[in-house]
């Protein structure tokens, strides 16, 4: 949520900055118009309440003096009716004002490339050497299906498209990857959390998924509850409505959770494989920081995500997303994209974002500074990493010509010493 006081003070700035995110100038004008009406209604209400208090005093004085208070009583009744009418107008106004304010995205940082599409993202760095294959590299879904460790067909039979069964070594590899990720993040100072997987609508609103992206999630029928689209929601809402003791900042938390997304609008995109699923595992990183520290913390968080790929020895690059491509709540987003040999391109595996005080205002999450003044914290979030996409990259980057897959060295201990997935060890019950 943006600060209406700042919008009032410099509407031209907000029109200019939000235009780079697809917001029309008249949307700012509408917000300011509703705000002006709201303030006028509040002023009228306060004036009437003052008149009512004056009339009430007259009634009291008249009764003490045994005088007729009929006129004053009638006046109070009339004022109460006027106040009720104003309150109804105010409630309607505030609902509309709040809805329009909640749909305005965050202000982009001056360093964010300006574009209403994804074109124009800035590459910050490229890391790792892309493997040269002496055979035609296969897609991860072909590798997984040939080994028997990924079963999309039976998942479709049970749940529909964009679901998968991991079997045998496939399941172990997924588990190895996320346990490795969690261990690495704990080394970097994050506290591991197991959060709820179903949240209230208020939590979805707090992190910015509602109201704009209501159709992109799975809601619980008959209840105002939602299956989480990302652990960002329960992790960031942990302190909603609270004042965090200043001595605790910064707070780093991480969690592995399943994520559920309807993928509305994704028809025809990545229909095969692990890239775009309705249910997938993801390790999330979330930070609460002081305002003056958040930009440094964004770079540290991005480095935390990169650390995973460096240790897995998977090539990747880091880009800064454009104004039109970054998330609704972000002021700046760095995407980490890993190399997928069969697609011959980089694919996103993490988005690390600094949301400034945008989410904190929606959640009413604050801290008290050294002068005793309440301030909103800054919140950051990033994938550390999307597990299925990482598994897909391992299958493609570590594939062998005979169809086997070598296990990255750092994962061998998590795989109980197994160094290669072959047809012989992939799914034990099929090899009896």
């Amino acid at each position: 949520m943006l600060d209406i006081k700042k919008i009032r003070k410099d509407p031209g700035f907000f029109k200019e900055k939000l235009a780079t995110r697809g917001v029309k100038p008249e949307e700012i004008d509408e917000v300011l118009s509703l705000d002006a009406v709201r303030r006028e209604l509040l002023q009228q209400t306060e004036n009437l309440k003052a008149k009512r208090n004056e009339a009430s005093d007259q009634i009291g004085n008249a009764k003490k003096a045994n005088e007729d208070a009929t006129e004053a009583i009638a006046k109070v009744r009339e004022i109460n009716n006027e106040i009720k009418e104003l309150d109804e107008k105010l409630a309607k106004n505030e609902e509309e004002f709040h809805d329009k304010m909640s749909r305005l995205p965050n202000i982009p940082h001056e360093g964010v490339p300006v574009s209403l599409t994804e074109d124009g993202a800035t590459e910050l760095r490229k890391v790792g050497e892309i493997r040269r294959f002496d055979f035609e590299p296969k897609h991860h879904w072909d590798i997984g299906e040939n080994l028997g460790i990924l079963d999309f067909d039976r998942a479709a039979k049970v749940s529909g498209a964009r679901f998968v069964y991991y079997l045998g070594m496939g399941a172990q590899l997924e588990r190895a990857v996320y346990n490795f990720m969690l261990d690495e993040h704990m080394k970097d100072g994050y506290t591991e959390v197991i959060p709820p997987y179903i949240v209230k609508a208020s939590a979805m609103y707090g992190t910015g998924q509602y109201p704009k992206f209501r159709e992109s999630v799975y809601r619980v029928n008959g209840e105002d509850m939602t299956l989480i689209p990302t652990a960002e929601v329960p992790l960031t809402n942990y302190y909603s409505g609270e004042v965090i003791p200043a001595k605790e900042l910064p707070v780093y938390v991480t969690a592995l959770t399943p994520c559920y997304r309807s993928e509305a609008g994704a028809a025809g995109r990545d229909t095969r494989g692990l890239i775009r699923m309705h249910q997938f595992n993801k390790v999330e990183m979330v930070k609460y920081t002081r305002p003056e520290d958040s930009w440094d913390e964004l770079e540290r968080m991005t480095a935390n995500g990169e650390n995973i790929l460096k240790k897995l020895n998977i090539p990747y690059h880091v880009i800064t997303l454009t104004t039109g491509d970054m998330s609704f709540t972000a002021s700046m987003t760095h995407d980490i994209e890993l190399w997928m040999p069969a697609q011959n391109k980089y694919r996103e595996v993490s988005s690390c974002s600094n949301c400034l005080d945008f989410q904190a205002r929606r959640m009413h999450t604050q801290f008290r500074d050294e002068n005793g003044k309440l301030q909103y914290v800054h919140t950051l979030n990033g994938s550390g990493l999307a597990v299925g996409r990482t598994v897909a990259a391992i299958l493609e980057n570590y594939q062998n010509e005979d169809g086997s897959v070598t296990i990255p060295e750092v994962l061998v201990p998590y795989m109980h010493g197994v160094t290669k997935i072959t047809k012989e060890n992939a799914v034990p019950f099929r090899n009896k």
Side-chain angles (χ1 to χ4, degrees), residues 219-264:
R219 283 174 281 171
V220 179
N221 287 337
E223 297 185 49
D224 201 10
M225 305 284 284
T226 302
L227 291 170
I228 60 170
T230 166
E232 172 197 346
V233 180
L235 290 180
T236 310
N237 275 279
Y238 182 78
Y239 284 114
S240 60
E242 296 186 32
V243 177
I244 305 174
K247 65 180 181 180
E248 293 184 8
L249 296 174
V251 174
Y252 294 4
V253 286
T254 186
L256 162 75
T257 67
C259 303
Y260 304 92
R261 299 183 185 178
S262 69
E263 290 295 346

Side-chain angles (χ1 to χ4, degrees), residues 41-170:
L41 289 172
L42 285 170
Q43 185 61 54
Q44 290 179 26
T45 301
E46 290 303 312
N47 291 340
L48 284 173
K49 287 179 179 178
K51 290 180 180 179
R52 183 178 60 184
N53 291 339
E54 185 179 327
S56 295
D57 289 341
Q58 290 174 4
I59 294 171
N61 293 334
K63 287 183 176 181
K64 286 178 183 178
N66 292 320
E67 296 175 352
D68 184 11
T70 303
E71 186 178 341
I73 291 171
K75 188 175 183 180
V76 167
R77 189 177 294 116
E78 181 185 346
I79 291 173
N80 281 336
N81 288 334
E82 290 183 46
I83 290 174
K84 183 180 179 181
E85 288 180 12
L86 286 176
D87 284 343
E88 290 173 355
K89 290 181 181 179
L90 183 60
K92 184 178 179 180
N93 169 277
E94 287 190 331
E95 182 179 355
E96 189 176 357
F97 169 78
H98 192 75
D99 180 67
K100 290 189 180 297
M101 278 291 291
S102 67
R103 293 176 185 274
L104 294 178
N106 205 349
I107 293 292
H109 183 269
E110 60 184 12
V112 175
V114 176
S115 172
L116 291 179
T117 70
E118 63 183 26
D119 297 331
T122 303
E123 185 179 70
L124 300 179
R125 51 191 167 274
K126 190 176 289 182
V127 179
E129 185 175 343
I130 292 174
R131 176 183 171 186
R132 294 183 178 275
F133 289 84
D134 52 12
F135 60 93
E136 185 69 26
K138 293 184 175 66
H139 289 282
H140 67 274
W141 55 83
D142 289 329
I143 298 167
E145 288 175 334
N146 289 338
L147 287 170
I149 60 175
L150 298 178
D151 194 330
F152 295 97
D153 291 338
R154 287 188 174 89
K157 175 183 67 175
V158 173
S159 301
R162 300 185 189 272
F163 289 91
V164 66
Y165 278 104
Y166 287 86
L167 300 171
M169 284 294 170

Side-chain angles (χ1 to χ4, degrees), residues 1 27 45 49 62 74 79 82 117 120 141 147 151 244 306 314 330 333 342 347 362 375 385 393 400-401 417 420:
M1 182 78 75
E27 293 181 62
T45 301
K49 287 179 179 178
I79 291 173
E82 290 183 46
T117 70
W141 55 83
L147 287 170
D151 194 330
I244 305 174
E306 291 181 70
I314 294 175
T333 298
R347 297 303 303 266
R362 298 168 81 100
Q375 291 193 47
L385 306 164
N400 301 306
E401 190 170 11
K420 185 181 290 187

Side-chain angles (χ1 to χ4, degrees), residues 22 28 75 120-121 129-130 153 207 249 288 320 358 373 377 410:
I28 305 299
K75 188 175 183 180
E129 185 175 343
I130 292 174
D153 291 338
T207 44
L249 296 174
Y288 303 82
T320 299
F358 189 86
K373 181 181 177 182
V377 297
V410 292

